[in-house]
Amino acid sequence: MASKVGDDPESLITLTLTYCLRNLCRTMCYAGDKNRPRLRPDIFLPSEICDKLVNAYMDLVHTDSDFEEYGGFFLLFSDPHSTRLSRVQLREDVVRDRDLEAIGKQDLIELHLTNCTNLSSRSLKTLSCFRQTLVSLSLFGCNNIFYRKGAAPLACSEADEEGRPVRRHLDLDFSFQGFSRLRLLNLGGLPTEVDVESLLRPLTTLTSLDLSGVHLARAAFLTQWRERLASLVLYNVDLCEELVQTILQMSQLRHLDISRESRRSCKFKLTRNMLTNIVQSLTHLVSLDISGHTMLDNLTQHFHFKFYLPKNVYTHTHNLYIVTGGKNEDQILNAIEAYTEFRPELAHRAINQLFDIARIQHCNQLLRALKLVIAALKCHKYDKSIQVTGSAALFYLTNTEYRTDQSVKLRRQVIQVVLNGMEQYQEVTVQRNCCLTLCNFSIPEELEFQYHRVNQLLLRILEPTRQDESIQRIAVHLCNALVCQVDNDHKEAVGKMGFVKTMLNLIQKKLQDKLCDQVMEFSWSALWNITDETPDNCQMFLDRSGMALFLECLKVRRSDPHPLGSKRGNGAEGEVREMWVVNLLDSKADGIEVSYNACGVLSHIMFDGPEAWAMVEPCRDEVMDRMWDAIQSWDVSSRRNINYRSFEPILRLLPQSISPVSQHWATWALYNLVSVYPSKYCPLLIKEGGMALLQRVLELQTSHEETKDMARKVMEHCGNFKEDPMDTGR
């Protein structure tokens, strides 16, 4: 059997690291002062483990809302005698000066800091601790690291770790003097106040330099690396004749990036002659990015391309190249891959083009596309434009057309990033995209691993009662599906989150607005399901005047709302035994569910005998006739929004002659369930003694022939059913 897309299992090291990070004080640590984790004294962790541990920690902090940061986590790596760090990647504002100081004694070889905006010049001092070992350093987007935090208050956006406003002072003391092993340096986004020429002068052995967005007062200083530099990135750096001539002297360049944002104005224009000179002068060049430029001698042509060779073919040929752009799926995916980490504006544009391919055409590289979009959404959790386009692309990439090719692992990754987006943004478009994407999954099965979180997020969406109508409808539908086929523990947990209250508030608002729409319909259905066999939830429903609200709904539009609480077996049954639900027998809402449940309520009332029927009009016989008609109208192959854990309420209606229509309803219910879901319901029916009770139906003279016929079919289904000996699901 061919494996599905992305079906490779998680590695043992990944699973182990994740478990340890979620259970530090039960594995490698003990609780120290202020309950902070402290490394056990008998443990030594090599760099192969420590590097992965730190990077996995950062990933959990950014992508899993259920994971809480550990105060003093980086102190676990303060002693190189017990822990060794070599290659560390930290990002975003969760990283503080004290975190770098904690690992200051480590012999780091690589340190990549990305958009760590809370770092100040305190961290520059820590960097000096690594000067003898550091080979690769990235300070991309760490805009404040070259500033000291002063104590004088100032009305500005900067604040210290306690939230107090501070004044920023440029740190003039830091120098790269002594960083003799440093070969790769990324200073993208360096503040204009910093003299980049003076800062870089001590680094004579650089082979890779990224100065994206950096102001270069004079370009000639770059020639100090003309015999060494293999990679030079000048994205969004203003070109000039001096800079171009300097670049032409960089004889060892293999990768050159002089691209820019297309909307960014630039007085200097590339010409075809310049491009030709670059290609001919830099004979080792295998990668050239000029995207965003307009050629001076052909103003109608706008370049969106990056030409480059994969690293493994650098030394073989110059004829092979990969192109990023928007012409086809290959170019678009190449663009997402090339620009996601440091150029979200370009990645956003490429993801938007991928969205069009998935929506209008067909995505031929599904695994790659999904992985790239997931990576972009993880990397730019706080970038609204990426979240909007990425969640929209995921909706089309996970729909029915592609579903069969996707593994459980890959689909879970999609769910995780979708929930991250819902968590971070209350904006309508993101919320709608995320909710629609969740609708592409089997509910509740595929969402059960995030059951608590997804319910919390959906209820949060529904709290503002004037929420966007389309989002309300989708969110309530998801809520209903999530409580429909789960055990009572799940239902009770969701009830404690405020599920009952939220649904009743939605219904109350619809009544005030005189709207009996799908939101109201799904809300009643959701309440029906969450109160089934859960007394605590039923009590919440009653305590919050749910019954009065139901009666009010029934008066306004008798044929639409679900008869919540009147269902036999729900906690509210005693209060509503005489509730008039006959009008719901003909309802087509939610497939057959409303009509089926209404008929079930009436079946139990009819089973209690003529004396239990207190209504004069319509009379009991008339209602039973209407029940027969309703049952006849249902498709026995209907898939159901229902989950029986016991057939006891149904089985009690079988061996009796008081109400043949109740017996018929019960037999139809069993026939439907064992036909559509045999592996689930045949064993349950056999276990609970259903076969003997069905035999009694066949023996009773009062049983209708049609009822007997269905009873035989149920017995036949169960008789033919053979459990899978390898099934471990029960």
Side-chain angles (χ1 to χ4, degrees), residues 31 130 228 302 361 424 511 570 601 671 688:
F130 311 130
R228 296 190 59 88
H302 205 83
Q361 304 171 35
Q424 186 64 33
L511 275 177
N570 282 23
V601 172
Y671 184 30
E688 295 191 338

Side-chain angles (χ1 to χ4, degrees), residues 92 303 372 418 454 527 665 688:
E92 310 296 347
F303 275 76
L372 288 174
V418 165
V454 70
L527 285 169
W665 174 85
E688 295 191 338

Side-chain angles (χ1 to χ4, degrees), residues 72 76 82 84 127 161 211 349 391 463 469 507 532 539 554 564 650:
L76 298 178
S82 55
R84 296 281 176 85
L127 286 183
E161 294 178 6
L211 297 176
R349 195 181 310 162
S391 57
E463 280 176 4
E469 177 72 22
I507 294 168
D532 185 26
Q539 192 61 51
L554 201 60
L564 171 88
I650 295 176

Side-chain angles (χ1 to χ4, degrees), residues 320-356:
L320 297 175
Y321 62 87
I322 298 176
V323 181
T324 72
K327 185 177 181 181
N328 55 46
E329 184 178 327
D330 271 331
Q331 289 186 6
I332 290 168
L333 295 179
N334 291 340
I336 299 174
E337 185 171 6
Y339 298 129
T340 285
E341 186 172 7
F342 297 129
R343 303 182 197 175
E345 67 282 356
L346 296 181
H348 161 255
R349 195 181 310 162
I351 294 172
N352 203 39
Q353 291 170 321
L354 175 63
F355 162 78
D356 287 334

Side-chain angles (χ1 to χ4, degrees), residues 419-604:
L419 296 183
N420 290 344
M422 292 173 67
E423 209 160 42
Q424 186 64 33
Y425 293 96
Q426 294 302 301
E427 196 269 338
V428 171
T429 307
V430 175
Q431 294 286 349
R432 184 188 299 113
N433 289 351
C434 291
C435 285
L436 284 170
T437 301
L438 290 179
C439 290
N440 286 337
F441 293 82
S442 296
I443 304 173
E445 295 85 1
E446 288 192 281
L447 300 184
E448 194 159 3
F449 80 106
Q450 290 282 289
Y451 191 79
H452 182 272
R453 184 184 180 198
V454 70
N455 274 289
Q456 273 190 328
L457 291 171
L458 290 171
L459 292 177
R460 191 175 74 177
I461 289 174
L462 293 170
E463 280 176 4
T465 51
R466 292 194 179 276
Q467 177 65 273
D468 177 85
E469 177 72 22
S470 63
I471 296 178
Q472 270 193 349
R473 186 169 60 252
I474 303 164
V476 174
H477 164 73
L478 287 167
C479 283
N480 184 28
L482 281 163
V483 298
C484 181
Q485 297 190 41
V486 293
D487 58 38
N488 291 350
D489 290 340
H490 281 74
K491 291 184 181 181
E492 289 173 357
V494 174
K496 291 174 183 176
M497 293 180 198
F499 189 100
V500 175
K501 173 188 172 183
T502 300
M503 295 301 150
L504 289 174
N505 287 344
L506 282 173
I507 294 168
Q508 184 66 58
K509 181 63 173 59
K510 292 298 179 182
L511 275 177
Q512 291 173 1
D513 295 343
K514 298 181 180 179
L515 287 173
C516 293
D517 57 6
Q518 281 189 321
V519 172
M520 177 183 280
E521 180 181 302
F522 289 150
S523 298
W524 278 121
S525 183
L527 285 169
W528 176 292
N529 285 311
I530 201 171
T531 55
D532 185 26
E533 299 182 21
T534 51
D536 288 349
N537 290 343
C538 292
Q539 192 61 51
M540 288 183 206
F541 173 77
L542 293 172
D543 291 345
R544 294 190 173 275
S545 304
M547 203 54 59
L549 190 61
F550 168 71
L551 288 171
E552 194 175 348
C553 284
L554 201 60
K555 291 176 185 176
V556 173
R557 190 172 179 182
R558 299 174 67 89
S559 63
D560 273 4
H562 289 241
L564 171 88
S566 60
K567 176 181 178 184
R568 184 79 173 199
N570 282 23
E573 63 190 20
E575 290 81 357
V576 293
R577 280 176 61 87
E578 305 302 324
M579 186 61 65
W580 201 248
V581 294
V582 177
N583 286 335
L584 296 172
L585 286 171
D586 301 324
S587 174
K588 303 300 181 187
D590 203 7
I592 69 168
E593 297 302 327
V594 175
S595 177
Y596 171 89
N597 287 324
C599 198
V601 172
L602 292 169
S603 293
H604 285 283

Side-chain angles (χ1 to χ4, degrees), residues 142-212:
C142 302
N143 301 329
N144 299 321
I145 199 170
F146 287 92
Y147 295 94
R148 298 194 303 270
K149 290 180 178 177
L154 185 68
C156 65
S157 60
E158 296 300 322
D160 64 13
E161 294 178 6
E162 283 71 40
R164 296 173 301 201
V166 295
R167 183 187 305 245
R168 300 195 314 170
H169 304 279
L170 188 66
D171 190 311
L172 301 176
D173 298 330
F174 176 76
S175 168
F176 276 117
Q177 192 71 43
F179 285 74
S180 57
R181 298 189 64 192
L182 195 63
R183 299 293 185 270
L184 294 86
L185 179 62
N186 185 337
L187 293 178
L190 187 74
T192 54
E193 296 92 335
V194 179
D195 184 349
V196 64
E197 182 176 349
S198 299
L199 182 67
L200 296 179
R201 188 174 292 118
L203 300 175
T204 57
T205 58
L206 285 180
T207 60
S208 176
L209 180 61
D210 188 328
L211 297 176
S212 296

